[in-house]
């Protein structure tokens, strides 16, 4: 069971990982900031939030009262007959994504199908030296994925928080234009680093990994916020060398081709912006024009 809301980028990361790993789950809506009646902050509307996160039962699972939180399914884990798990729940989105991948889709955490094969002992025979090299390669592949995950975790919070709150969760006439522009420019500076690093189809090479999950959620958030502002007549410049991010645009197009991304990230984020179907950028030429 996953506690969170589909308009939360941190929850979206876990939802995407669950779908990539083809795991069935239940989603319990939970939030202190957003409620069922509107995408706007409850501090603005006066509405009630989804709640749950401030209950004693939830705080027993997650003492920080944040989302997302993943708790084990008793039908799957047979908790009564098995030794107890070290903790009753997992929180912090990137840690939850790591768990899902490690337990159910190790190729997403180890940097490719060959790494998954080596991790499961299927890397073939050979000398002890060959085995040592396989272990090194597997560890290196995992570290290459996790370094991007760590960078996203610690680098994007401020840009994400302010941009989505101003664009989707605050009425247009109440937006702080300076804060909105600052968040946009911070996002752009971070994505300019990604643009310069994208030498392959995905962050860690030719194969899709958990690094693409956590970065892809951020890219989608920025892109749709920027698109929504443009639709409202607010034009923010793309202040990068050359004036565009062509590698990033093609990368985003690849993510848009993944069903799990569309279901877990793109569609919920469009709904959060209250975008009608004909207002949504869908990649390709339209997206390259935007980037």
């Amino acid at each position: 069971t996953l506690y969170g809301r589909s308009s939360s980028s941190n929850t979206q990361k876990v939802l995407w990982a669950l779908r990539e790993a083809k795991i069935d789950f239940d989603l319990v809506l939970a939030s202190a900031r957003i409620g069922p009646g509107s995408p706007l902050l409850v501090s603005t509307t006066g509405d009630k939030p989804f709640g749950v996160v401030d209950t004693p039962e939830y705080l027993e699972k997650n003492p920080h009262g944040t989302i997302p939180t993943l708790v084990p399914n008793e039908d799957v884990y047979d908790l009564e007959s098995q030794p107890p798990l070290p903790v009753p729940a997992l929180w912090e989105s990137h840690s939850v994504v790591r768990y899902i991948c490690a337990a159910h889709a190790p190729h997403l955490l180890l940097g490719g199908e060959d790494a998954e094969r080596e991790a499961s002992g299927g890397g073939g025979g050979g000398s002890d030296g060959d085995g040592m090299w396989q272990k090194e390669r597997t560890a290196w592949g995992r570290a290459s994925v996790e370094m991007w995950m760590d960078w996203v975790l610690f680098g994007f919070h401020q840009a994400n928080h302010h941009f989505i709150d101003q664009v989707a969760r605050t009425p247009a006439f109440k937006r702080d234009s300076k804060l909105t522009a600052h968040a946009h420019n911070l996002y752009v500076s971070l994505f300019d680093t990604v643009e310069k690093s994208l030498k392959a189809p995905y962050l860690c090479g030719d194969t899709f990994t958990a690094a693409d999950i956590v970065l892809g959620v951020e890219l989608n958030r920025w892109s749709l916020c920027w698109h929504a502002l443009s639709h409202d007549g607010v034009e923010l410049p793309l202040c990068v060398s050359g004036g565009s991010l062509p590698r990033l645009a093609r990368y985003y197009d690849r993510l848009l081709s993944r069903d799990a991304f569309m279901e877990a990230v793109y569609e919920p984020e469009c709904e959060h912006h209250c975008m009608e179907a004909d207002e949504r950028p869908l990649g390709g030429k339209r997206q390259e024009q935007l980037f």
Side-chain angles (χ1 to χ4, degrees):
T1 300
L2 179 66
Y3 291 82
R5 52 178 167 79
S6 59
S7 60
S8 154
S9 58
N10 285 329
T11 304
Q12 288 171 4
K13 295 169 186 177
V14 178
L15 289 169
W16 188 1
L18 287 167
R19 284 179 165 83
E20 290 286 353
K22 297 179 172 56
I23 300 173
D24 293 330
F25 62 93
D26 296 317
L27 176 63
V28 176
L29 294 173
S31 176
R33 306 177 74 232
I34 304 289
S38 169
L40 301 178
L41 296 168
V42 294
S43 60
T44 298
T45 64
D47 295 338
K48 290 185 178 181
F50 288 115
V52 178
V53 294
D54 58 351
T55 63
E57 294 80 9
Y58 189 84
L59 293 171
E60 188 70 23
K61 302 178 182 73
N62 178 345
H64 308 290
T66 55
I67 56 172
T69 295
L70 185 71
V71 299
N73 187 319
E74 294 185 9
D75 294 334
V76 174
Y77 285 90
D78 191 16
L79 297 178
E80 292 185 0
S81 62
Q82 297 294 332
L85 294 170
V87 293
L90 297 176
W91 35 266
E92 287 296 334
S93 59
H94 289 212
S95 294
V96 180
V97 169
R98 285 183 174 96
Y99 154 73
I100 292 167
C101 295
H104 302 281
H107 61 286
L108 294 179
L109 198 58
L110 296 176
E113 294 179 1
D114 60 333
E116 179 184 19
R117 183 173 61 251
E118 291 163 7
S120 63
S127 66
D128 291 343
D130 291 337
M132 182 66 71
W133 168 242
Q134 288 172 2
K135 289 177 64 177
E136 284 287 337
R137 177 178 170 176
T138 298
W140 191 275
R142 177 161 182 160
S144 71
V145 173
E146 295 203 47
M147 69 180 182
W148 279 109
M149 295 181 71
D150 290 343
W151 180 73
V152 170
L153 179 64
F154 293 106
F156 281 77
H157 173 73
Q158 184 179 9
N160 180 322
H161 176 75
H162 292 308
F163 211 32
I164 192 65
D165 273 9
Q166 290 299 314
V167 178
R169 300 172 182 168
T170 300
F173 68 91
K174 288 188 175 181
R175 286 177 186 154
D176 183 328
S177 59
K178 289 184 178 180
L179 185 58
T180 302
H182 172 75
H184 166 73
N185 290 332
L186 181 54
Y187 253 135
V188 170
S189 68
L190 291 164
F191 284 128
D192 192 32
T193 298
V194 178
E195 172 76 12
K196 295 169 182 175
S197 302
L198 270 174
K199 304 297 177 58
Y202 297 100
L203 276 178
C204 299
D206 293 331
T207 56
F208 175 86
T209 70
D212 301 297
I213 290 177
V214 298
L215 181 76
V217 167
E218 295 290 350
L219 178 57
N220 186 67
R221 170 143 293 181
W222 167 69
S223 173
L224 291 182
C225 280
W226 196 22
H227 177 76
L229 286 170
S230 179
H231 185 266
D232 289 347
V234 179
E235 300 295 340
L236 295 177
L238 189 62
C239 298
V240 294
S241 177
S244 65
L245 299 167
R247 292 177 179 173
L248 201 66
R250 292 190 293 271
Y251 173 72
Y252 188 44
D253 238 10
R254 294 185 195 101
L255 300 184
L256 287 166
S257 70
R258 304 187 74 87
D259 291 341
F261 172 78
M262 295 298 289
E263 295 169 5
V265 184
Y266 183 83
E267 293 295 341
E269 194 77 354
C270 285
E271 292 173 5
H272 193 44
H273 283 280
C274 300
M275 288 182 182
E276 300 295 336
D278 60 351
E279 297 174 346
R280 301 178 180 184
L282 292 173
K285 292 182 179 179
R286 292 180 65 186
Q287 198 62 47
E288 289 198 29
Q289 289 172 358
L290 185 61
F291 285 15

